[in-house]
Amino acid sequence: MSVGTLLAIIIPIVVVVCLLAVAASYVVRRRRLRERFGPEYERTVEDAGSRREAERELSEREKRHDSLDIRPLQPDIRDRYARDWRNVQGEFVDRPEGAVQDADLLVTSLMRERGYPTDNLAQKLADLSVEHGRTVEHYRVAHDVNQRSLKHEATTEQLRGAMVHYRALFDELLSDGGRRRHARV
């Protein structure tokens, strides 16, 4: 067989193998992002208008998140937050709007304690979505009800729901999201 014939056979095979490797890497990346972000993956795709743009955004969130100093809570601090939550929850019967507002402040304080920036709502949601993709929607809903309660436009049932939503994220943040971060070297 001549060199030209061998090249005519080998080059297309190499090109096909390279294309398959690239396609496989996209599939693996998509699967990893879906697993990591949960429902937030589809929400981001919907908001971005394309999978490619959404996946780029999610990857950027991961990079930003990796640069944050997210830390576990010390046991005494965790106990204090748990106590504070019980107090906020106990306020609900007498002061539902106030309890929801206090719950929002407590969740924000807990986020700050863990190392999340808390100045900008959109950034809070993006940062939370990396490790808490399955519960960040709870925060969105609760925060929306809290905003309506500030204008006295939320029903008691909506306020009760907000407390449940805040509790879902609060519990996850309090328990370090079920996983420990590796120490940075």
Side-chain angles (χ1 to χ4, degrees), residues 121 154 168:
L121 177 63

Side-chain angles (χ1 to χ4, degrees), residues 75-185:
D76 59 324
I77 294 172
R78 181 180 292 110
D79 292 344
R80 179 177 48 93
Y81 274 102
R83 231 180 0 265
D84 290 349
W85 178 263
R86 285 190 300 273
N87 291 337
V88 167
Q89 203 166 351
E91 294 175 20
F92 186 80
V93 172
D94 295 327
R95 301 179 40 244
E97 286 180 337
V100 168
Q101 292 162 18
D102 289 347
D104 184 76
L105 293 171
L106 187 59
V107 167
T108 299
S109 175
L110 178 55
M111 289 170 56
R112 190 176 308 111
E113 185 84 41
R114 293 283 317 277
Y116 288 98
T118 58
D119 297 334
N120 175 294
L121 177 63
Q123 192 62 58
K124 275 197 285 193
L125 293 168
D127 292 340
L128 282 170
S129 72
V130 176
E131 281 193 39
H132 307 283
R134 300 196 191 296
T135 54
V136 72
E137 186 61 25
H138 287 285
Y139 185 64
R140 275 191 186 93
V141 172
H143 186 76
D144 181 57
V145 171
N146 184 44
Q147 293 304 301
R148 288 197 312 264
S149 81
L150 292 171
K151 297 179 253 175
H152 308 292
E153 296 174 353
T155 67
T156 303
E157 186 57 27
Q158 289 170 327
L159 294 168
R160 186 198 65 74
M163 291 296 289
V164 171
H165 289 300
Y166 277 128
R167 179 66 187 250
L169 179 60
F170 181 85
D171 284 347
E172 195 166 300
L173 287 168
L174 198 65
S175 68
D176 299 331
R179 62 183 152 226
R180 296 271 182 200
R181 290 182 51 99
H182 299 287
R184 293 211 169 125
V185 183

Side-chain angles (χ1 to χ4, degrees), residues 13-99:
I13 290 173
V14 168
V15 168
V16 168
V17 167
C18 287
L19 290 173
L20 288 173
V22 167
S25 73
Y26 280 118
V27 168
V28 168
R29 177 179 179 221
R30 181 169 291 155
R31 182 178 300 131
R32 184 186 62 76
L33 289 171
R34 273 190 166 145
E35 288 173 4
R36 180 157 198 187
F37 286 91
E40 185 68 12
Y41 176 89
E42 291 303 328
R43 179 185 179 83
T44 306
V45 168
E46 189 177 304
D47 290 348
S50 78
R51 285 200 188 282
R52 187 177 194 167
E53 189 58 37
E55 289 173 358
R56 183 176 304 127
E57 179 182 331
L58 294 172
S59 292
E60 288 172 9
R61 288 184 194 182
E62 286 179 316
K63 287 177 189 167
R64 175 179 159 74
H65 186 273
D66 288 346
S67 73
L68 299 174
D69 183 24
I70 308 300
R71 53 201 171 269
L73 298 172
Q74 297 298 319
D76 59 324
I77 294 172
R78 181 180 292 110
D79 292 344
R80 179 177 48 93
Y81 274 102
R83 231 180 0 265
D84 290 349
W85 178 263
R86 285 190 300 273
N87 291 337
V88 167
Q89 203 166 351
E91 294 175 20
F92 186 80
V93 172
D94 295 327
R95 301 179 40 244
E97 286 180 337

